Amino acid sequence: MNILVSGAGIAGLACALELGTRGHGVTVVEYARHLRLTGTPIDIRGDAIEAVDRMGLLAKIQKQRVRMSELTQFVDSAGEPVARIPMAEISDSDDDIELLREDLVRILADALPDTAVIRFGDSIEALTDDGGNGGGGNGGGGNGGVDVLFASGRTGRYDLVVGADGQHSAVRRLVFGPEEDHLRHLGVYFALADHPGEALSEGANSIYNVPNRMAGVFRYKGKAVAVFQFRSEPIAYDHHDLDAQKKILIDAFAGYRSWRIPELLDTVRADPGFFFTSASQIHLPSWHRGRVALVGDAGYSPAFLSGRGTSLALTGARFLAEELERCGNDHTAAFARYEARQRPYVTFAQDRVYSGRDRMLPTTWAAIAARNEALRATRTTPDGPQQTTPRRAGENAE
């Protein structure tokens, strides 16, 4: 089949790899002019580990493993440690892998077969799905297809289109309607700024809380970043206006001068690559319509608070490719089977965000103190907390 994938992030690259290695011709169209590599470390958990193992990439990924979360601690206003991040609560198992987003993106891109190509600096402008049932083998079934108009003025016709273009997906907007119809804001914003002055320093990663806010410094692989989170109702802003985004963050921390907050805000002012986003989820009753399907954040963003967005992208790409293969390229049947397999993982991940939000962003000074005391008590338990998260999404609660 001739398949178009929108987005060259983790979900799009995983789709291109999974589909391309099964003999499909895959074109990935990416709005940016190069691979986007920014971001803090991400996690591969549970069945997503099996997915990258079957891709033949597990050994390469394990070599890039970092332990940022394991070295993270909450500190007081003097910078003294008060408690560590409870790894047993945020991990699925000891097999979980934490690595830099840029490392995973490069590994996936380098593994793409000759049947998959990436076209940078372009995006989908319009889609016309003229139907046609599946079941036609490599021809895509019947005479149906999707006519695509690109922002560059190019046109193309494809058997299938996969929207893997993130939370603000253009494919989802064109096929399923406006983003506001599907977005659920979780009341938290996240920001990231390079902190070159900390890059060569040593020590644990630190998180400091004031009510409804968190500031921190994370170090990994010779670099450092200032990290911020704060609670807020939805804020209207231009996603392309960097200065406006910086002002939102600086205003959110106005009046707080404890710990290193003023210094870290200076890194925000100085960073030309400053990153700012909301913690939001995408909820859709179905992730496919006609010959178009969504994978990853485009269809079911769980928000960064879940720690499972990358894993959902990897399992989603694998399940979609497997079901197309099993269904003889009958996309109607394959899309339904893909969704049935992936839905339990998504439900579990999206339901996990609230405990993480309350842990990272207590709402009062009293809540901060209670959180710290509870974590200190956990550390004194001889065997630590019991692991309760099931490994596989098909078992028990997942």
Side-chain angles (χ1 to χ4, degrees), residues 123-152:
S123 59
I124 297 174
E125 189 77 18
L127 296 168
T128 303
D129 184 344
D130 60 20
N133 294 321
N138 289 334
N143 296 314
V146 186
D147 291 315
V148 180
L149 171 65
F150 296 95
S152 63

Side-chain angles (χ1 to χ4, degrees), residues 10 17 42-45 48-66 95-100 103-108 111 221 310 314:
I10 291 170
L17 177 56
I42 47 83
D43 298 288
I44 301 176
R45 309 173 185 272
I49 298 173
E50 182 181 349
V52 295
D53 190 17
R54 291 186 178 180
M55 292 178 191
L57 303 179
L58 181 58
K60 291 182 179 179
I61 287 171
Q62 288 174 327
K63 287 181 180 179
Q64 300 300 326
R65 187 172 189 174
V66 299
D95 294 332
D96 290 358
I97 303 169
E98 185 178 32
L99 75 161
L100 301 192
D103 288 336
L104 181 57
V105 167
R106 287 195 176 102
I107 289 170
L108 291 169
K221 284 197 171 182
T310 296
L314 294 169

Side-chain angles (χ1 to χ4, degrees), residues 21-346:
T21 54
R22 287 171 170 80
H24 301 289
V26 182
T27 300
V28 181
V29 62
E30 166 57 46
Y31 174 80
R33 298 192 178 278
H34 50 76
L35 292 172
R36 290 180 286 185
L37 304 174
T38 58
T40 57
I42 47 83
D43 298 288
I44 301 176
R45 309 173 185 272
D47 285 1
I49 298 173
E50 182 181 349
V52 295
D53 190 17
R54 291 186 178 180
M55 292 178 191
L57 303 179
L58 181 58
K60 291 182 179 179
I61 287 171
Q62 288 174 327
K63 287 181 180 179
Q64 300 300 326
R65 187 172 189 174
V66 299
R67 300 184 182 277
M68 186 194 76
S69 296
E70 295 177 28
L71 300 176
T72 299
Q73 61 189 6
F74 295 102
V75 300
D76 61 20
S77 59
E80 294 298 320
V82 295
R84 284 203 173 273
I85 293 285
M87 292 303 298
E89 294 184 16
I90 64 176
S91 298
D92 282 11
S93 77
D94 291 339
D95 294 332
D96 290 358
I97 303 169
E98 185 178 32
L99 75 161
L100 301 192
R101 182 183 186 278
E102 63 185 87
D103 288 336
L104 181 57
V105 167
R106 287 195 176 102
I107 289 170
L108 291 169
D110 289 345
L112 292 181
D114 293 340
T115 50
V117 298
I118 305 175
R119 195 165 77 220
F120 291 103
D122 208 351
S123 59
I124 297 174
E125 189 77 18
L127 296 168
T128 303
D129 184 344
D130 60 20
N133 294 321
N138 289 334
N143 296 314
V146 186
D147 291 315
V148 180
L149 171 65
F150 296 95
S152 63
R154 294 188 185 189
T155 60
R157 184 170 175 82
Y158 302 89
D159 296 311
L160 302 176
V161 173
V162 177
D165 42 352
Q167 181 178 304
H168 305 298
S169 170
V171 172
R172 187 187 63 241
R173 174 177 51 81
L174 290 169
V175 178
F176 296 85
E179 180 174 302
E180 54 266 28
D181 292 349
H182 314 296
L183 184 134
R184 183 179 299 175
H185 179 59
L186 300 180
V188 176
Y189 284 85
F190 170 84
L192 193 69
D194 279 337
H195 195 344
E198 286 284 317
L200 299 180
S201 64
E202 297 182 356
N205 301 309
S206 299
I207 294 174
Y208 173 69
N209 286 108
V210 295
N212 294 312
R213 297 160 178 81
M214 177 272 275
V217 176
F218 292 168
R219 305 174 182 85
Y220 41 83
K221 284 197 171 182
K223 69 175 295 184
V225 292
V227 181
F228 303 86
Q229 292 182 27
F230 65 94
R231 293 183 186 249
S232 173
E233 293 300 312
I235 302 171
Y237 65 94
D238 183 346
H239 294 277
H240 300 289
D241 188 337
L242 198 64
D243 289 336
Q245 295 169 49
K246 289 183 176 183
K247 184 176 187 305
I248 290 169
L249 179 70
I250 292 168
D251 288 348
F253 283 83
Y256 291 99
R257 303 193 61 79
S258 51
W259 191 54
R260 301 173 61 180
I261 290 177
E263 167 206 337
L264 298 183
L265 291 177
D266 284 342
T267 70
V268 170
R269 297 182 178 96
D271 184 9
F274 174 72
F275 176 77
F276 183 80
T277 190
S278 67
S280 299
Q281 293 181 341
I282 297 297
H283 288 259
L284 286 166
S286 177
W287 307 321
H288 58 92
R289 183 169 294 174
R291 290 176 171 267
V292 178
L294 303 176
V295 174
D297 283 355
Y300 35 82
S301 170
F304 64 84
L305 293 169
S306 75
R308 285 166 170 77
T310 296
S311 295
L312 291 182
L314 294 169
T315 56
R318 181 155 196 89
F319 295 162
L320 178 63
E322 285 180 343
E323 295 306 332
L324 281 170
E325 187 175 43
R326 290 170 181 171
C327 294
N329 294 338
D330 178 347
H331 68 275
T332 302
F335 287 172
R337 288 168 62 95
Y338 149 66
E339 182 165 329
R341 290 178 68 185
Q342 180 75 338
R343 182 71 70 172
Y345 290 83
V346 172

Side-chain angles (χ1 to χ4, degrees), residues 8-19:
I10 291 170
L13 293 172
C15 284
L17 177 56
E18 293 280 14
L19 293 165

